[in-house]
Amino acid sequence: MARAIFFFNTMSRRLEEFQPREAGKAGLYTCGPTVYNFVHIGNLRTFVCEDVLRRTLKAFGYAVTQVQNLTDIDDKTIRGAAAEGVSLREFTDRYARAFFEDIETLGIERAEFYPRATDFIPQMVAIVRRLEERGHTYTLDGSTYYRIATFPAYGRLSGIRPEEVLVGARVDTDEYEKEDARDFVLWKAAKPGEPYWETELGRGRPGWHLECSAMSMHYLGESFDIHAGGVDNIFPHHENEIAQSEGATGVVPFVRYWLHAEHLVVEGQKMSKSLGNFFTLRDLLERGHSPLAIRYLLLSVPYRQKLNFTFEGLKGAHSAVERLGNTLRRLATSPPAGGDGDLDPGLVDAMIDDFDAAMADDLNTARALATLHTLLTRVNQALDGGGISGPARARLDAALGRVQQVLGILPTDSVPAEENAEVVALVREREAARAARDFARADAIRAELGQRGIVLEDTPHGTVWHRKT
Ligand code: AMP
Ligand code: ZN
């Protein structure tokens, strides 16, 4: 039987064994970006953590259906489109495209569905109708609000008691008259110059929270397995989603496991557009940082801990990726041969078991990476000791395959295979030349490789190479 996975459920505030609704399947909803600008690396930390969650579920044998929304209608997208004098769709298309480019650059696997809020207006209206029928709403000046006093479970996820509630930022910026500041808007009456939909709720547009209830239930059902996002989503966004979904359907629970990623911070403050303390992925790539190092950094700290972003940290991640690459390239060029210090296949299996145990423990990526580095240290020792024999090599390849499937941080395919082979042949030739003390030839090969952007380094473990970044 497959190993059990444990997640920290924000709802129960404890570790729980993951038990899906349907054996072997996992339904996953992850709150997506508001497509009004390029995402910053704080957003991407959450998306990378969710990618690791998705990959882990798959590696543990679950068929995953992941849905991630694109918020393409809200105050910010409307303002951005108006400022440029283009349609909302044209404006948001641009940043949706950029989002897909960015996640591809970071090796984030594609979700099964990327619904856009503006394509789900009828489903949102239907939810509001059901809420009306069940007495959860009231209208004021053409807008429809959720009366949270009608939902006794309100506040269970966040621990915020309704009488202590301050208006959440999203609600606040919408600038609506409210009968009660703690209630939130479901459907907003049209304002002059803003996009609107003509619906049975009147002329208007949806509130932000409503879209996630509509799109998650559309694809995953009225009760589904996992809902994830950043910790800033807990209140009011996810609290409101629960009130909307359970209030409309009567089906409890809307979500079985709530997972929240802690923030990426800069000098103790959340990285955010409004604070101006942000870097986009593009900013970092322009400064010469590699996607793999950025991905490594983003997942190196377990998702429930804050990640303090520094360039020093990014440099450290770069070195870690280099070390992994060096060992893997060395391995790729060593013929199978069992030396004195051959790798014990049993040890490789034990390591991969540790790796799985770390991931099953609420996605402990830091522990999983430590296991990987220990394994690769053993690999280097075995190569120093004369090589790795066939059976151990097969186990090792399987282990590395699993690491790559789950974390996606091995620089294995950064160089095309044929080019790889050519470089390897030249590196070998240079090693032979050095052994024969033909330093002129050795230097000529180094220069030739240098022209191709390959940097050589002679280490006590032999010559390693990497591509200039
Ligand atoms: P937004 O586009 O603001 O709705 O954010 C998209 C996702 O990024 C949400 O899941 C947020 O919780 C998450 N997020 C925003 N800022 C940060 C940050 N500094 N660190 C980690 N995640 C963040
Ligand atoms: Zn959401």
Side-chain angles (χ1 to χ4, degrees), residues 311-435:
F311 281 97
E312 208 48 44
L314 186 50
K315 233 166 77 189
H318 176 79
S319 311
V321 169
E322 285 281 276
R323 277 204 309 280
L324 297 177
N326 286 342
T327 306
L328 295 180
R329 282 183 286 265
R330 194 178 172 211
L331 192 62
T333 57
S334 319
D340 291 345
D342 195 4
L343 202 56
D344 172 2
L347 182 98
V348 179
D349 288 343
M351 291 265 175
I352 203 62
D353 201 52
D354 285 351
F355 178 88
D356 277 0
M359 295 311 295
D361 181 12
D362 199 26
L363 310 173
N364 192 333
T365 46
R367 217 170 91 208
L369 285 173
T371 304
L372 171 65
H373 286 291
T374 307
L375 174 63
L376 292 187
T377 301
R378 275 294 297 123
V379 167
N380 271 322
Q381 286 164 352
L383 293 174
D384 293 345
I388 295 175
S389 60
R393 182 57 197 261
R395 296 307 305 139
L396 181 60
D397 286 345
L400 293 173
R402 187 163 185 86
V403 168
Q404 184 64 345
Q405 179 188 11
V406 173
L407 299 180
I409 37 90
L410 298 181
T412 42
D413 34 27
S414 53
V415 181
E418 26 344 325
E419 199 184 338
N420 218 353
E422 257 181 74
V423 172
V424 167
L426 283 166
V427 171
R428 286 238 179 97
E429 194 188 329
R430 179 171 166 277
E431 277 182 323
R434 270 161 50 95

Side-chain angles (χ1 to χ4, degrees), residues 93-282:
D93 267 351
R94 184 194 311 157
Y95 294 108
R97 256 198 316 276
F99 166 70
F100 288 120
E101 282 167 16
D102 286 350
I103 62 170
E104 187 172 343
T105 304
L106 277 189
I108 293 175
E109 283 186 4
R110 286 264 182 152
E112 280 62 35
F113 300 101
Y114 287 102
R116 283 163 161 262
T118 53
D119 292 334
F120 280 78
I121 303 292
Q123 289 85 344
M124 295 187 218
V125 171
I127 290 177
V128 178
R129 295 302 259 173
R130 287 171 85 177
L131 287 170
E132 273 174 9
E133 279 161 28
R134 298 168 71 102
H136 291 295
T137 67
Y138 58 92
T139 58
L140 200 68
D141 297 336
S143 293
T144 306
Y145 295 87
Y146 193 107
R147 192 189 302 278
I148 57 171
T150 63
F151 189 71
Y154 196 85
R156 258 184 59 209
L157 179 72
S158 59
I160 288 172
R161 297 217 308 278
E163 55 274 24
E164 292 167 359
V165 170
L166 295 173
V167 181
R170 300 261 178 180
V171 181
D172 193 51
T173 51
D174 286 332
E175 291 167 355
Y176 277 95
E177 294 288 324
K178 289 184 191 67
E179 182 188 287
D180 182 337
R182 295 170 292 182
D183 295 339
F184 62 92
V185 71
L186 295 162
W187 185 260
K188 305 177 184 195
K191 281 190 193 170
E194 288 195 348
Y196 61 83
W197 282 260
E198 203 73 72
T199 73
E200 37 186 307
L201 301 172
R203 186 180 277 197
R205 65 179 171 98
W208 173 47
H209 314 296
L210 188 58
E211 66 177 81
C212 284
S213 283
M215 295 191 274
S216 59
M217 292 199 290
H218 176 83
Y219 288 102
L220 300 172
E222 294 180 350
S223 179
F224 62 90
D225 296 312
I226 307 175
H227 194 317
V231 286
D232 56 320
N233 287 155
I234 298 174
F235 185 85
H237 186 47
H238 291 163
E239 198 72 76
N240 290 353
E241 274 187 51
I242 296 169
Q244 291 164 159
S245 300
E246 294 184 1
T249 65
V251 175
V252 176
F254 164 50
V255 167
R256 296 155 64 86
Y257 302 87
W258 287 95
L259 271 60
H260 291 101
E262 252 298 350
H263 282 145
L264 183 146
V265 298
V266 186
E267 286 160 14
Q269 276 192 312
K270 175 190 172 192
M271 178 174 282
S272 74
K273 300 256 166 64
S274 54
L275 289 172
N277 62 348
F278 68 94
F279 292 104
T280 63
L281 178 60
R282 288 142 201 262

Side-chain angles (χ1 to χ4, degrees), residues 53-65:
L53 164 63
R54 168 195 171 83
R55 286 162 171 263
T56 303
L57 288 166
K58 283 171 64 178
F60 280 69
Y62 294 97
V64 174
T65 303

Side-chain angles (χ1 to χ4, degrees), residues 70-86:
L70 302 182
T71 298
D72 64 351
I73 169 99
D74 79 329
D75 295 340
K76 289 180 283 196
T77 45
I78 292 172
R79 220 180 296 131
E84 289 190 18
V86 297

